[in-house]
Every structure is written in C-alpha cells, then in structure tokens.
Amino acid sequence: MIAELGHFATIMALILALLGATVPHVGIARADSRLMTVADNTALGQFLMALIAFGALTYSYLISDFSVYAVAANSHTAKPLLYKIAGVWGNHEGSLLLWVLMLTLFAAALSVKGKKLPQRFRTRVIAVQSALVLGFLLFIVFTSNPFLRLDPAPIEGNGLNPLLQDPGLAFHPPMLYLGYVGLSVAFSFAVAALIEGEVTPLWARWVRPWTLVAWMFLTAGIILGSWWAYYELGWGGWWFWDPVENASFMPWLVATALLHSAIVVEKRDALKSWTILLSIVAFSFSLLGTFLVRSGVITSVHAFANDPARGVFILGFLVVVVGGSLALYAWRAPKLTPGGLFGLVSRESALVLNNVLLSTFAGVVLVGTLYPLFLEAANAGQISVGAPFFEYGAVVLMSPLIVALGFGPLLAWKRGRLPRAATTLLPAAIVALVVGLYVFWQSAGGILMTAFGLVLATWLLASVVLEIAERTQLFKNPSAFLRRVKGLPRASWGMSLAHTGVAVLLFGITISEAWTEEKLLVMEPGDTATVGDYDIRFDGVKPVVGPNFTAIEGYFFASHKTKGAIGTLDPQDRLYTDPVMNTTEASILSLASGDLYAVIGEAAGGGRWSVRLYFKPFVSGLWLGAALMVLGGFLSLSDRRLRIGAPKAKQVKAEA
C-alpha cells in the first residue's frame, strides 16, 4: 500500500507540474494575476507530492519490502541502517526521484523566498522550473518507475554495491544533486529573462545567491567523492578523470565562471549575454552528467543504468532543453541592451579572462570525455583519453587564471591601473619566485613542474594577504587597521577565503603528487618497512566479521625515526556476501606532515601478505582547501547586500 501511495503521489506531482508549466504563461499573456498564482500553488504542491513519494520509497527500503523491485535489486536485510537509507538513491530509479525532490524543493523555495520579485518575472521562473520537473517526472513514470512490484516477492534482496556502502558515498550524491539541481534555478532565471527580453543588474542580484548555493553544494559533493576515492578504492588516488567525475567537474567550472560574470552584471551592467549563456551551459552540463550516468554509454562504479531506452529518453530530453534554450538565446540575446563600457585593463576585463579560461577548460574536459564515446559510436575504434591530456589542459589554462586571481581584486572597475596593482603585488611575486628557485635548486632541476606549481600557489596565497592589507591600509595607516577589518563586507572576506582555499588546494595537489612515497611489499609478521621518515612494522592479521561482510584485518605499528611511536594502522580486505564482492579498506593515519596510508592485500603464502604503504605529504591540503572554498561561499552568502530586495531600513525610509 505504501508503494502505491508513492506511485500515486508521483503521478499527482506530474499533473501539478504540467499545470505549473503551462497555465502561468497563459496568465501572463492575459495579465491575469489569478492564473499567475497557479505557479506558486503548483510549486508547493509538487514539492509535497515529491516528498510523499520519496518518503514512501525510503520506508520501503527501511522495512526491506522486497515486493518493490527497486528495493529487491538494491537492498538486503543485513545491510546497516545508514546504507539502507543510502540505497534509496544508490540506484537509477531512486536517484531520479531524489533529483525530482530537489527540483521541486528549489521551485518551492523560489515561490516562498521570491516574493520580492516582480510577480510576472517570478511566475516565468517558476513555470520554467515546473517544466523541468515535468520532464523528469515523465522519465520516471514511463521508463524508471521506482514503485514497480514483484510477484512473487523474493525472500531476500540482492544488496547494494559494496563500494557504495560507505559514509562518504552516503552523503556524496545528495550533495552533488543539490549542486546540479541548484543550477536549474540559474537556468530558469536565464530562460525567463530571455522570454521577457530584459537582463538588469537587479536580475543578477537575484540569480547570484541561488548560483552560489548550488556552487557550494557542488564543491562539497565533488570533494566528498574525491575523499571517498582516496580511502575506499585502496590506490591512494583522489582523482581519476573518470567520465562521471568529469561530469560533475564541468558544471562546477562553468558555475564558477557564472558567479564571477554575474558580479559584472550587478556592478557594471555589462556581460549580460555572457551571464545568460553561462547559466544555460552550467545546467546543460548537469543534464549531460545525468545522461552519461544513466544511458549505459560508459562503464563506471558511478553509473546507475545501462538501458538504451532510458538513454534515448534522456538524450531526447537533453536535446529539447539544451537545444531549445540555446535557440531562444540565439533569438533573444542580440536584443539585450549592452551595458557599460570598460577598458582593457580593468576588473571587468580580469573577470572576462576568468570566464574565457574556465569555459575553455570545461570545453577541453568535455572533448576528452566524449571523444572516445563518439569514436566508438562511429565504429572507428576504441581509445582512452588519460590523465596526461586533462592535466596538460589544466596547466596551460589554469596557470594564467591563478595569476589573474592575484591582479583582479586590485584593479578598479571600468579602468584600472596595472602598474599600481603590480607594485602592490611585487612582494608576492618575489616570495613566489624564491620558493620556486629553492625547490628547483634543491632537486637539481628534477621537478620543474613541482616548482612551477608551488610558485603559483605561493603567489596566490601571498596576493590574497596583500590584497587584504591594501583594503585595510595595514601599511599606510596601521592604527585604523582593526576598524577597517571590521568594516570590510562579508562578501569580500568570502572572496578572499575562497581564493585562499584555491591556493591551499594547489599546495596539496603539488606537494602530495611530487613527494608521495609508495612501497609495494610482501611482509610477514615482525617485518619493518620505511616510508618517508616513518618505520612501519607489520604485526600480523586477524579475521573480522561485519554486519554483511567478513574481512582480514592487518595490524601495523608506525613510529617516527626520531620521535618514536605515533600510532597504528588497521587496513582490511573485505569480502561482502550480498552481492559477493571483494573490496579494500585503506587505513590512514593523518599527521601534521602528511598521511601514512596502508592497504592489506592477498595472502602470499607462508604467513606473508601483500602490502601497499604510502606516505603522502600535505594531501590534507586538498580537503582543507575545498573546505575553505565552501566556507568562503557561505560568508559571501551571509552578506546582507546579496539578499533579494532592499534592506528593511531603506524601505521604511523610502515609504516615509
């Protein structure tokens, strides 16, 4: 009965989405405010129905109702509670229902929080959002119904992919979906603005907080996935340039460009066409990721489905949404009134460079991801585009971006003075050059790219410090420093913190990639291996029984060569029963200098075991840098100047 309730709620949500996507446009055409309010009412109704449907599916997983096909295919009575819940979205049907829930959540949020928007424009935005909900609900109802029944019901379910039975993967998809779906709001704003034929600074002020929320969730989701790959897959890597990883990275790149472009529209009434196009492309990349994961065109641990019929439906939906929005852009964008002019050297120009580089890199990742698929589809052979291609593109395109990040905040709007900014940043350049030369000299020129990466990271970090010093006049008027610090808006601190996060992230990537030590060994109890400045003693193994797996757990004792004992590591080699699958669970000992990382492998006979040991210096900089970026976004979002509508005090004054 619960599953039927969920199915009924899904169909009701579809009907409401159909009404919300059509009737409000009629109301706008007739200037009928009653018909316009249908957008708000149906948005709230869609969210309620989607919530009921998702709750019904979750309940079916919790009670292990194996008469529901999705539960039988992806759950098991022996699974821990967390993974029963995570199993709801750890499959094709459930993940789509989560997509719809979040789409309706943002539509309802627009209805509630957008009351200060003009009714006509708010109605357009919510109606476009409802059209997206309609498309996904049609997909669910006709090809991916999560409430299909099995008769007779099996006694036990198949279980969830053991690689997905991990806390990181439990929270990683919802975070990513909030980012993906959050970009739909920017898309809806863009389409509504194109239909209305007007993009104003106030429009940018409305769209920027929604985009920032999506960007924050997307950043957090990507870094959670990266952390999962680091400790779960057992190979010590944090990024593989997997097609599905790229599918989340591309919208992040475009969303980052969109955030900066919206600033120019808001501050200078310029780059309108740029911003509209980026809004469309960012969500288009989110839809592309949905197609890649669910069409069966790729093989990945992240992929959910391989049904060609589903792939054709998603491809058709992708063509309609992306093709339709780009056609609308081609028709209406030339009619958008151009904004203010600006010089070649200005903050606007720096942000344009930012947009070009980020968008170009997103294009490079797109080509590297899809080119092998196109070749295979054309029966032209099979190739793989590996990490060197993407890394070369990152170095070529992101290096000038890092340099520009130092100059941009110090340039004035409309017309800046490059010599003045260069003079301010001269200490940063000197410090960065000294760091690079030192590393290059110490390694006798053997790690040129490492020195280059550290130069960029040092340059950006020092630039942020100098930019804050310039804003607060630290060196010119030290006595007023604290007063000026308190006077800086939170959005400025958010920008500085996010740029600091990029620098820390770059430090983490460069240092960990350059100085990681790895040893593949066969060890028996009592053997000791040296990795970095640490001695790792193998003390043997013992069997372990988990809720739905058995494992061999290794014991390692770690000590520093001069400081003595520092801790233990206990990696596992697990064998899951439902479904039957072998996985490795790395053990990581995080230290101030880096991570000690141990993996236990197969028995080698004679009481010996294959062992993989790593020392990864400052790899924590990856997670710390990303956390600083998200925190910077939160600070910017908390700035009252980014809130929609005028401050209350100003409204009262205007009324008086």
Side-chain angles (χ1 to χ4, degrees), residues 2 12 27 32 64-65 75 77 82 127-128 184 244 293 319 363 426 596 611:
I2 295 297
M12 287 299 300
D32 188 335
S64 296
D65 183 359
S75 191
T77 53
L82 174 62
V128 174
S184 70
V244 181
V293 173
V319 170
L426 183 60
L596 284 174
V611 172

Side-chain angles (χ1 to χ4, degrees), residues 488-563:
L488 283 179
R490 285 195 291 272
S492 296
W493 284 113
M495 176 196 70
S496 299
L497 195 58
H499 289 181
T500 300
V502 174
V504 174
L505 182 71
L506 188 53
F507 272 121
I509 293 173
T510 305
I511 294 173
S512 63
E513 289 294 311
W515 286 292
T516 287
E517 290 191 32
E518 175 186 5
K519 288 194 175 179
L520 304 177
L521 305 166
V522 175
M523 303 180 73
E524 60 182 346
D527 286 351
T528 299
T530 300
V531 184
D533 292 330
Y534 302 92
D535 294 324
I536 313 294
R537 189 184 70 226
F538 179 45
D539 289 337
V541 301
K542 77 171 186 178
V544 174
V545 178
N548 58 341
F549 65 85
T550 57
I552 293 296
E553 186 172 85
Y555 287 91
F556 297 84
F557 179 78
S559 59
H560 191 272
K561 289 182 178 179
T562 58
K563 299 178 182 178

Side-chain angles (χ1 to χ4, degrees), residues 274-359:
W274 251 112
T275 308
I276 291 290
L277 182 59
L278 288 172
S279 300
I280 294 172
V281 172
F283 184 61
S284 298
F285 274 132
S286 296
L287 291 181
L288 177 64
T290 304
F291 170 71
L292 290 175
V293 173
R294 293 169 174 83
S295 62
V297 300
I298 61 169
T299 300
S300 169
V301 68
H302 307 79
F304 286 134
N306 55 10
D307 185 349
R310 293 170 173 175
V312 170
F313 190 106
I314 297 177
L315 184 60
F317 183 59
L318 187 66
V319 170
V320 170
V321 173
V322 179
S325 58
L326 290 178
L328 180 63
Y329 173 80
W331 174 44
R332 300 289 283 178
K335 299 180 182 179
L336 297 177
T337 55
L341 301 176
F342 52 86
L344 182 62
V345 178
S346 62
R347 188 175 297 189
E348 294 94 327
S349 294
L351 291 171
V352 169
L353 178 63
N354 170 84
N355 290 353
V356 170
L357 293 172
L358 286 171
S359 301

Side-chain angles (χ1 to χ4, degrees), residues 353-392:
L353 178 63
N354 170 84
N355 290 353
V356 170
L357 293 172
L358 286 171
S359 301
T360 304
F361 187 40
V364 169
V365 177
L366 177 66
V367 170
T369 303
L370 297 185
Y371 181 63
L373 304 180
F374 286 137
L375 277 185
E376 185 175 352
N379 293 321
Q382 292 184 344
I383 67 167
S384 61
V385 177
F389 171 82
F390 297 106
E391 290 169 359
Y392 180 78

Side-chain angles (χ1 to χ4, degrees), residues 466-487:
L466 290 173
E467 188 264 336
I468 294 174
E470 179 71 12
R471 281 177 175 269
T472 56
Q473 296 188 0
L474 174 62
F475 303 119
K476 297 178 181 178
N477 187 9
S479 60
F481 172 70
L482 291 178
R483 177 173 55 83
R484 290 184 175 275
V485 165
K486 293 179 181 179

Side-chain angles (χ1 to χ4, degrees), residues 198-227:
E198 185 179 18
V199 177
T200 65
L202 190 57
W203 174 90
R205 188 179 185 187
W206 290 330
V207 78
R208 196 151 67 93
W210 297 99
T211 306
L212 184 56
V213 168
W215 179 87
M216 289 164 57
F217 280 116
L218 197 54
T219 304
I222 290 172
I223 208 62
L224 271 177
S226 173
W227 168 243

